[in-house]
Amino acid sequence: MISNPLTLGPGALVRDAKELMRKYGVSGVPITDKNGVLVGILTARDLRFNDDDSIPIRDLMTSKGLVTAPVGIKMEDARRLLHEHRIEKLPVVDAKNRLRGLIT
């Protein structure tokens, strides 16, 4: 589990996300508001068919139906969620939906 994942805000531009992903070699970025609350996730899959790097991330990120895990989840349960939902990134959130980690 990554305990302090890289994040961006929903108003950041797609070009910012691509630059961050390229620089750190990651394929997705959790999107949080100014209070650290998870509002979405942007992955390479979201970017695949987009040609406009000047639009805000909020226009492309996945925000509905986000699959998250509670703080303290067991790794076997996290693996099951990743497999069951066919996702590569599992945000870990606290009771107030603040991002506390990322399981990949």
Side-chain angles (χ1 to χ4, degrees), residues 4-15:
N4 193 15
L6 300 167
T7 63
L8 288 169
L13 301 179
V14 169
R15 78 170 53 92

Side-chain angles (χ1 to χ4, degrees), residues 21 27-28 41-50 60-62 82 85-89:
M21 293 162 82
S27 61
I41 191 162
L42 184 76
T43 66
R45 184 184 305 176
D46 297 316
L47 297 172
R48 186 168 293 139
F49 299 107
N50 176 62
L60 289 181
M61 71 182 188
T62 299
L82 288 162
H85 294 279
R86 306 261 193 280
I87 55 176
E88 296 178 2
K89 310 218 173 303

Side-chain angles (χ1 to χ4, degrees), residues 56-98:
I57 288 171
R58 74 172 56 87
D59 292 351
L60 289 181
M61 71 182 188
T62 299
S63 58
K64 291 185 171 56
L66 280 180
V67 178
T68 62
V71 170
I73 189 170
K74 294 178 182 177
M75 280 300 141
E76 64 190 51
D77 294 331
R79 265 190 234 106
R80 183 184 50 76
L81 282 173
L82 288 162
H83 178 73
E84 179 181 316
H85 294 279
R86 306 261 193 280
I87 55 176
E88 296 178 2
K89 310 218 173 303
L90 182 62
V92 177
V93 296
D94 65 15
K96 294 184 178 178
N97 209 42
R98 291 178 300 211

Side-chain angles (χ1 to χ4, degrees), residues 32-43:
T32 57
D33 70 10
K34 63 183 178 180
N35 298 314
V37 173
L38 182 69
V39 296
I41 191 162
L42 184 76
T43 66

